[in-house]
């Protein structure tokens, strides 16, 4: 034939596209339950956005971007990942003015020029989430758990999470010098990419796929974390344990993008040989400011849908039809706050949608949030109620309030639907 599809792309034909629709419906159903709203950004942006947002020392910017000049002689790039464009939209449209944490998700094509192989295409698709405005470790754990639950509900086998902390600016500055002391004696034995990046961004050297065997004795960044970063990472791990997420700490995990701070993680499932990573992400507390917005923290992930489809097929998982903000939680007290995290995750697991406050606000402000979200119920838990094993459940339509046992909360709400 005269024409064929470009190398590294694929046609999704009838009989296959339904499998994609199944996965996309799971994305939307799960994000509804976790109260994330969809955003759609352009598939091309100014090249400088990715240079600044993704990082000039990354493989993406150095080797993989599809960059072109438009008719106005402006340098444009097909988006190689989703976060930079979402942050740009967050800043440009002043979403930071919203009173609540801004929680967004996207599904769409990305583009990178690299050698096509199983689960890796030049046009590929990602599902990602981004949450802006909170430094609370609870939102870190929620984002990780959302990605984990997505894989679990698709039926993927041996779903696991690897987590690490890449620290704050002070932690990384201390670790940088220690890591350079380890790397410099072996500089001449490392690949060219590692040699080029060593002085500019030594943490990226640990992400190298060529020289991994040489980094066995590398110092751990966890030993360089200050008190703030240490406490943050400890609470993230504690909450993941509360949620039942199967996770391990990988001190070499730094991810391939420059913008990460504090929490970094990868999602894995039983794959084909070395192909087991389906996605990953982390916290990026400085990225919004770097792109021109106010100093707003953020955290998110991206999951490769081609990789998901490959593993679904390899594991012989039958993608059947999916079964199609019920509750806003108000926590009053430290112990109640932790229990609300557990209850909220259990509620979402049951198929209901829910939300909570992450900004440490008073009860009146939290109730206003429940109204803005048009929640059917508000569940109010204080430390006294927690000691009695009870929670107050208020109907937002009628104003009627009842007290129910904690273990009966989900069944009570389901029975009222």
């Amino acid at each position: 034939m005269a024409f064929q599809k470009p190398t590294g792309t694929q046609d999704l034909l009838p009989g296959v596209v339904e499998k994609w629709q199944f996965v996309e419906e799971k994305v939307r159903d799960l994000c509804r339950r976790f109260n994330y709203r969809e955003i759609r950004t352009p598939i091309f942006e100014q090249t400088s956005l990715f240079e600044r947002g993704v990082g000039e020392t990354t493989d993406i910017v150095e080797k993989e971007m599809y960059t072109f000049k438009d008719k106005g002689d402006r340098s444009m790039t097909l988006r190689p990942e989703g976060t930079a464009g979402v942050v740009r939209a967050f800043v440009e449209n002043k979403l930071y003015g919203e009173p609540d944490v801004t929680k967004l998700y996207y599904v769409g094509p990305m583009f990178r020029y690299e050698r096509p192989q199983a689960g890796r295409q030049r046009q590929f698709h990602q599902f990602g989430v981004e949450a802006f405005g909170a430094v609370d470790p609870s939102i870190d754990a929620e984002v990780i758990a959302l990605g984990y639950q997505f894989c679990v509900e698709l039926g993927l086998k041996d779903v696991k999470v690897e987590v690490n902390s890449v620290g704050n600016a002070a932690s990384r500055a201390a670790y940088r010098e220690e890591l350079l002391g380890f790397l410099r004696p072996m500089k001449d034995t490392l690949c060219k990419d590692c040699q080029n990046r060593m002085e500019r961004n030594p943490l990226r050297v640990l992400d190298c796929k060529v020289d991994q065997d040489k980094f066995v004795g590398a110092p751990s960044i966890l030993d360089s974390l200050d008190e703030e970063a240490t406490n943050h990472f400890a609470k993230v791990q504690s909450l993941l344990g509360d949620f039942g997420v199967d996770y391990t700490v990988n001190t070499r995990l730094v991810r391939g993008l420059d913008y990460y701070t504090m929490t970094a993680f990868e999602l894995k499932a039983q794959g084909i040989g070395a192909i087991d990573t389906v996605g990953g992400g982390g916290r990026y507390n400085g990225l919004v400011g770097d792109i021109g917005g106010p100093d707003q923290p953020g955290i998110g992930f991206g999951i490769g849908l081609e990789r998901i489809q490959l593993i679904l097929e390899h594991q012989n998982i039958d993608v059947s039809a999916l079964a199609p903000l019920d509750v806003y939680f108000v926590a009053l007290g430290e112990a109640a706050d932790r229990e609300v995290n557990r209850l909220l995750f259990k509620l979402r697991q049951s198929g209901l949608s829910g939300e909570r406050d992450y900004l440490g606000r008073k009860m009146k402000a939290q109730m206003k949030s429940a109204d803005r979200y048009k929640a059917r119920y508000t569940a109010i838990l204080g430390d006294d109620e927690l000691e009695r094993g009870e929670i107050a459940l208020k109907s937002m339509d009628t104003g009627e309030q009842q007290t129910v046992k904690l273990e009966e909360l989900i069944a009570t709400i389901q029975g009222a639907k």
Side-chain angles (χ1 to χ4, degrees):
M1 321 179 28
F3 300 101
Q4 294 181 326
K5 65 181 179 294
T7 300
T9 66
Q10 56 184 330
D11 298 314
L12 301 177
L13 305 177
V16 174
V17 76
E18 288 83 0
K19 297 178 180 180
W20 283 77
Q21 291 170 342
F22 169 84
V23 171
E24 290 163 2
E25 286 167 5
K26 174 57 68 178
V27 166
R28 291 181 167 85
D29 176 65
L30 191 64
C31 287
R32 173 191 63 82
R33 284 146 54 191
F34 277 70
N35 196 37
Y36 284 71
R37 297 174 294 166
E38 185 175 7
I39 185 171
R40 303 186 185 189
T41 62
I43 65 169
F44 65 95
E45 302 266 7
Q46 296 177 56
T47 302
S48 57
L49 171 66
F50 301 114
E51 291 174 339
R52 178 177 297 182
V54 177
E56 294 183 357
T57 65
T58 61
D59 284 345
I60 293 174
V61 171
E62 289 186 338
K63 303 176 182 180
E64 299 170 1
M65 295 201 310
Y66 277 92
T67 298
F68 60 95
K69 289 290 186 73
D70 68 6
K71 293 185 182 296
D73 200 36
R74 293 169 289 242
S75 181
M76 297 290 175
T77 295
L78 297 180
R79 62 185 184 192
E81 58 91 52
T83 299
V86 173
V87 173
R88 191 269 312 148
F90 175 77
V91 172
E92 184 175 350
N93 294 283
K94 295 182 173 59
L95 298 184
Y96 49 80
E98 294 184 356
D100 297 296
V101 172
T102 302
K103 298 164 65 174
L104 307 170
Y105 78 91
Y106 60 85
V107 183
M110 312 290 162
F111 306 85
R112 296 183 193 177
Y113 189 87
E114 52 188 341
R115 184 172 63 85
Q117 53 186 290
R120 191 185 297 273
Q121 301 290 328
R122 290 178 177 175
Q123 176 177 312
F124 60 100
H125 299 77
Q126 280 191 344
F127 153 47
V129 306
E130 315 291 349
F132 301 97
V135 295
D136 191 330
S138 297
I139 199 74
D140 301 46
E142 176 182 287
V143 166
I144 296 171
L146 193 162
Y148 177 82
Q149 190 68 17
F150 173 68
C151 297
V152 168
E153 293 190 12
L154 286 175
L156 302 187
K157 298 179 178 69
D158 295 333
V159 180
K160 296 178 174 61
V161 177
E162 291 187 354
V163 295
N164 192 24
S165 175
V166 294
N168 49 26
S171 300
R172 279 198 310 282
Y175 180 63
R176 183 181 189 278
E177 294 309 310
E178 190 172 351
L179 181 59
L180 280 172
F182 172 81
L183 293 173
R184 281 172 177 148
M186 65 176 74
K187 180 175 181 179
D188 293 340
T189 70
L190 300 178
C191 72
K192 284 190 175 181
D193 285 340
C194 287
Q195 292 180 28
N196 291 335
R197 291 172 181 158
M198 186 181 297
E199 300 298 332
R200 291 187 294 166
N201 191 349
L203 268 72
R204 286 282 291 112
V205 175
L206 296 180
D207 198 45
C208 176
K209 303 300 184 288
V210 176
D211 292 321
Q212 278 298 310
D213 60 317
K214 298 173 183 174
F215 305 144
V216 174
S220 167
I221 192 170
L222 299 185
D223 295 331
S224 296
L225 298 184
D226 61 14
E227 184 178 3
E228 175 197 26
T230 298
N231 292 340
H232 187 278
F233 190 43
K235 186 169 183 181
V236 170
Q237 293 178 74
S238 177
L239 288 168
L240 291 178
D242 288 347
F243 296 161
V245 172
D246 186 357
Y247 80 93
T248 57
V249 175
N250 178 357
T251 60
R252 302 258 292 279
L253 175 63
V254 296
R255 299 287 295 155
L257 307 177
D258 284 356
Y259 49 60
Y260 288 123
T261 59
M262 309 290 268
T263 307
F265 63 94
E266 287 188 347
L267 297 156
K268 295 179 177 289
Q270 183 187 100
I272 307 169
I275 303 175
D276 63 352
T277 301
V278 297
R283 180 169 279 282
Y284 44 85
N285 288 351
L287 183 57
V288 175
D290 287 345
I291 287 178
D295 185 16
Q296 286 266 323
I299 183 170
F301 68 67
I303 291 177
L305 298 186
E306 277 79 6
R307 189 67 59 88
I308 290 287
Q309 293 291 345
L310 186 69
I311 295 177
L312 284 171
E313 181 178 357
H314 177 68
Q315 295 184 358
N316 297 313
I317 296 172
D318 180 26
V319 287
S320 54
L322 281 173
L325 189 58
D326 297 303
V327 185
Y328 189 94
F329 283 89
V330 175
L332 305 172
E334 185 174 342
D337 185 84
R338 180 165 184 170
E339 179 63 12
V340 157
N341 278 309
R342 189 190 68 83
L343 286 171
L344 178 55
F345 188 67
K346 288 292 184 185
L347 177 120
R348 289 162 169 169
Q349 284 182 310
S350 75
L352 297 171
S353 59
E355 185 56 288
R356 57 150 291 171
D357 176 67
Y358 297 99
L359 302 175
R361 294 176 294 190
K362 302 293 185 183
M363 182 176 176
K364 183 177 180 180
Q366 294 187 50
M367 296 298 289
K368 286 182 178 179
S369 285
D371 282 331
R372 283 194 295 272
Y373 287 131
K374 297 181 172 56
R376 292 173 55 228
Y377 292 96
T378 300
I380 306 167
L381 183 65
D383 289 346
D384 291 340
E385 289 84 359
L386 180 59
E387 286 186 11
R388 297 194 299 269
E390 298 174 340
I391 190 168
L393 186 63
K394 178 180 179 180
S395 168
M396 300 300 283
D397 287 334
T398 66
E400 294 179 358
Q401 184 167 310
Q402 59 181 311
T403 299
V404 300
K405 295 291 185 182
L406 290 175
E407 63 269 20
E408 297 173 359
L409 175 65
I410 293 173
T412 300
I413 296 166
Q414 289 174 327
K417 292 196 78 169

